[in-house]
Amino acid sequence: MMKHTICITVLAAVLGLSLSVCSKQGSPDSGSSSQGTAPRTKARTFRLADNHPDGYPTVLGDLKFAELVKERSNGAILIEVYNNAVLGDERTAIEQTQMGDIQFIRVGTNPLASINTKMNVLSMPFLYRDTEHAFKVLDGPIGEEFLTSMIDNNLLGLCWFDAGVRNFYNAKVEIKTPEDMKGLKIRVQETALMMDLVKALGASPTPMAYEEIYAGIQNGIIDGAENNWPSYMTQSHNEVAKYYVVDGHTRAPEMILVNTQVWEKFSKDEQTLIKQAALEAAEYQRQEWLRQESDYEEQALAKGAVVTKLTSEQHQLFQDAVAGIYAQPGYNSYAELIKQIQETR
Ligand code: GTR
């Protein structure tokens, strides 16, 4: 902030003009350039939050997005990626993005459901047949509807990233059926759906920030958690919870979102450029996801994780145990939309 103020003062003094050259979130300029939409000197800088470490598929996707936007705006729009949760945990970062203090964020449907319950629809248990089905839905009209469904929450989604399926893991016992989950304290994201899901399986849900899981398991506050392979491994949860069951109880697809007021300040051309960059970054992220997902699965095995693959009968027991959630109040009002998702081919 200080740097920008000084910058503006110095330039104004030298040129005798009032310039917005160094402003952080200035309105889109109408400057001309022989090379592109805006001259380099009028760069505007924005922040994008992500809670994952360097090299994680979403972070690579964020960086690709920033790179494409920079390149295609000739350096006029600069998006700085702040990963590793340096701007705060996910809940805080979402709130800050709603307020515009952070302008872009990469986040999934589960944390978003705590501010907009409609997002639960996309994370309903065992909703998609496979990855292809999920992206058929997300890249079609339903996905588009969800990208724009948080405008009243000051957030606009730009694209869909892959986050794979989420599986249970814990420190105590190999899980083969829901029976084995009885009494286990399982950390969940702070959303009602994930609480309901874990309860339906007979375990006890404990909402907790992502960054606290490792210590939570180590100290016995929780017995385990649930997540995809890259999260399990990059957070080193395998060190404290070696039993990992590939049950795939949910997918929580992820997005890059932008604060709506920030979005409205971009010119139409800039909006098109940014949206296109997000879509291309998502294509790249999805490939990266598939590559890293299997790498991390291999690494988990090599480091001693006890990985349980379920038979189709065992898998069915998990599905049966959570099927009732679809009829529960709060979710049953979306029955029509859910049916459309299930029927998407
Ligand atoms: C990960 C997701 C994170 C965070 C985390 C969690 O899969 O990418 O953004 O939501 O799960 O469980 O909190």
Side-chain angles (χ1 to χ4, degrees):
M1 218 30 178
M2 181 71 108
K3 203 168 107 205
H4 297 299
T5 315
I6 293 169
C7 200
I8 289 166
T9 315
V10 170
L11 280 169
V14 171
L15 303 175
L17 291 168
S18 163
L19 298 175
S20 61
V21 176
C22 301
S23 79
K24 216 165 180 163
Q25 296 168 49
S27 52
D29 60 72
S30 52
S32 62
S33 159
S34 54
Q35 290 200 323
T37 54
R40 216 164 267 284
T41 47
K42 291 200 175 180
R44 282 155 289 148
T45 306
F46 303 90
R47 299 194 296 173
L48 187 157
D50 192 313
N51 63 355
H52 287 303
D54 293 356
Y56 193 95
T58 59
V59 176
L60 296 180
D62 303 337
L63 290 169
K64 173 63 80 184
F65 171 56
E67 176 195 312
L68 292 174
V69 170
K70 180 179 173 189
E71 198 179 284
R72 292 172 187 177
S73 68
N74 283 317
I77 306 171
L78 301 178
I79 297 171
E80 290 172 351
V81 176
Y82 289 82
N83 62 299
N84 264 320
V86 290
L87 300 180
D89 65 18
E90 216 154 49
R91 178 189 271 267
T92 314
I94 293 172
E95 281 166 12
Q96 288 193 61
T97 313
Q98 289 183 275
M99 294 189 305
D101 295 339
I102 298 174
Q103 296 77 44
F104 293 86
I105 188 167
R106 188 286 312 158
V107 78
T109 49
N110 278 340
L112 290 169
S114 62
I115 56 162
N116 186 327
T117 52
K118 185 177 174 186
M119 294 316 283
N120 281 325
V121 168
L122 295 180
S123 319
M124 291 300 279
F126 303 107
L127 177 64
Y128 310 96
R129 293 181 297 279
D130 49 26
T131 308
E132 204 191 322
H133 177 206
F135 283 116
K136 193 96 207 218
V137 173
L138 298 171
D139 292 335
I142 297 176
E144 197 55 39
E145 176 183 335
F146 277 92
L147 290 176
T148 54
S149 70
M150 281 168 301
I151 286 176
D152 289 345
N153 307 104
N154 285 346
L155 297 171
L156 171 70
L158 296 173
C159 64
W160 293 105
F161 278 5
D162 199 353
V165 289
R166 297 177 73 97
N167 302 307
F168 289 107
Y169 51 88
N170 81 97
K172 290 201 162 153
V173 61
E174 182 176 4
I175 298 171
K176 291 185 174 160
T177 70
E179 239 344 85
D180 302 321
M181 292 187 65
K182 280 234 158 66
L184 286 182
K185 283 175 280 169
I186 301 291
R187 175 271 177 177
V188 290
Q189 292 159 304
E190 297 160 87
T191 131
L193 175 61
M194 296 311 285
M195 304 263 295
D196 289 340
L197 196 154
V198 166
K199 271 191 228 155
L201 290 165
S204 160
T206 309
M208 186 184 274
Y210 187 49
E211 294 72 22
E212 291 166 18
I213 301 173
Y214 186 99
I217 300 176
Q218 202 172 35
N219 301 331
I221 297 166
I222 47 174
D223 300 313
E226 47 81 55
N227 223 315
N228 48 47
W229 286 112
S231 291
Y232 176 61
M233 292 305 290
T234 53
Q235 294 293 310
S236 307
H237 292 169
N238 61 311
E239 291 173 9
V240 287
K242 69 172 179 179
Y243 299 105
Y244 191 101
V245 55
V246 188
D247 63 282
H249 52 271
T250 187
R251 277 174 188 270
E254 307 197 337
M255 283 174 246
I256 291 182
L257 300 119
V258 57
N259 169 284
T260 48
Q261 277 96 45
V262 170
W263 181 247
E264 280 153 22
K265 284 197 193 141
F266 288 117
S267 68
K268 282 277 165 288
D269 284 353
E270 288 173 334
Q271 288 181 353
T272 308
L273 177 160
I274 294 168
K275 174 81 183 173
Q276 186 56 29
L279 293 175
E280 288 175 39
E283 270 175 42
Y284 168 77
Q285 189 275 347
R286 293 179 199 179
Q287 284 166 19
E288 198 52 44
W289 180 269
L290 293 178
R291 191 181 67 73
Q292 292 204 27
E293 195 179 42
S294 53
D295 278 4
Y296 279 123
E297 177 173 358
E298 271 174 38
Q299 278 184 39
L301 276 167
K303 291 187 173 175
V306 179
V307 178
T308 309
K309 300 262 166 99
L310 300 174
T311 63
S312 52
E313 289 78 22
Q314 288 168 332
H315 202 254
Q316 192 59 48
L317 294 175
F318 282 84
Q319 298 196 32
D320 293 348
V322 297
I325 294 178
Y326 282 80
Q328 278 180 30
Y331 311 113
N332 61 4
S333 50
Y334 294 110
E336 188 47 44
L337 190 51
I338 290 171
K339 192 162 160 257
Q340 281 175 32
I341 294 176
Q342 287 165 332
E343 287 174 358
T344 300
R345 300 266 152 200

